Amino acid sequence: MTVSPDQPCAAAEGMDPVLDLSATPPTEQRNPRTTDIDLQPTPVVLALLHAEDSLVPAAVQPVLGPLAEVVDEAAERVRRGGRVHYFGAGSSGRIAVLDATELVPTFGLPPGIVTAHLAGGDDAMEARGGGGRGQ
């Protein structure tokens, strides 16, 4: 989801865009097709997951051209000495650290091209709890 700083906020005037759930991106909304997935037997869970996964290619298809342009531009910038920075918190931040770390031995990428920044720093890599989503 791309949000331009030049465009007005989608939330109604006087509404807090953080608290206005109508402005929640689709990736953060509850999927009505899987609301009771935790109550289903394993074969049904797997069928639901498979059905949802099958929706991905059609959703990505319309943006393959622009996505290719972004990938080509990013690759060119890295070739010219640019670097990639991952930012994340909680589980997503930890995964970013692991991904950045694995690029060196797996793909032979020189160290320092991809750097991950985990909210909370090194201590957050092993921190437990915190009460936040995904932690």
Side-chain angles (χ1 to χ4, degrees):
M1 174 183 204
T2 302
V3 178
S4 169
D6 301 326
Q7 297 296 319
C9 178
E13 189 65 35
M15 291 289 297
D16 182 337
V18 174
L19 300 177
D20 179 11
L21 297 180
S22 69
T24 303
T27 55
E28 299 301 316
Q29 294 175 7
R30 189 70 176 101
N31 182 342
R33 293 179 301 275
T34 59
T35 54
D36 62 350
I37 195 169
D38 58 318
L39 304 174
Q40 301 302 317
T42 302
V44 174
V45 169
L46 295 175
L48 286 167
L49 293 175
H50 182 66
E52 291 302 308
D53 285 348
S54 71
L55 299 175
V56 173
V60 173
Q61 178 66 41
V63 296
L64 285 176
L67 182 59
E69 292 175 20
V70 170
V71 170
D72 289 344
E73 179 63 26
E76 181 56 33
R77 289 180 184 213
V78 168
R79 279 193 282 281
R80 292 193 321 250
R83 295 187 290 168
V84 176
H85 292 268
Y86 287 165
F87 294 87
S91 297
S92 60
R94 291 181 189 101
I95 291 168
V97 170
L98 294 172
D99 188 51
T101 302
E102 282 299 313
L103 291 171
V104 174
T106 303
F107 297 103
L109 200 65
I113 291 180
V114 178
T115 303
H117 304 274
L118 176 60
D122 292 342
D123 291 341
M125 192 66 184
E126 295 183 30
R128 303 213 189 278
R133 176 180 167 260
Q135 290 189 8

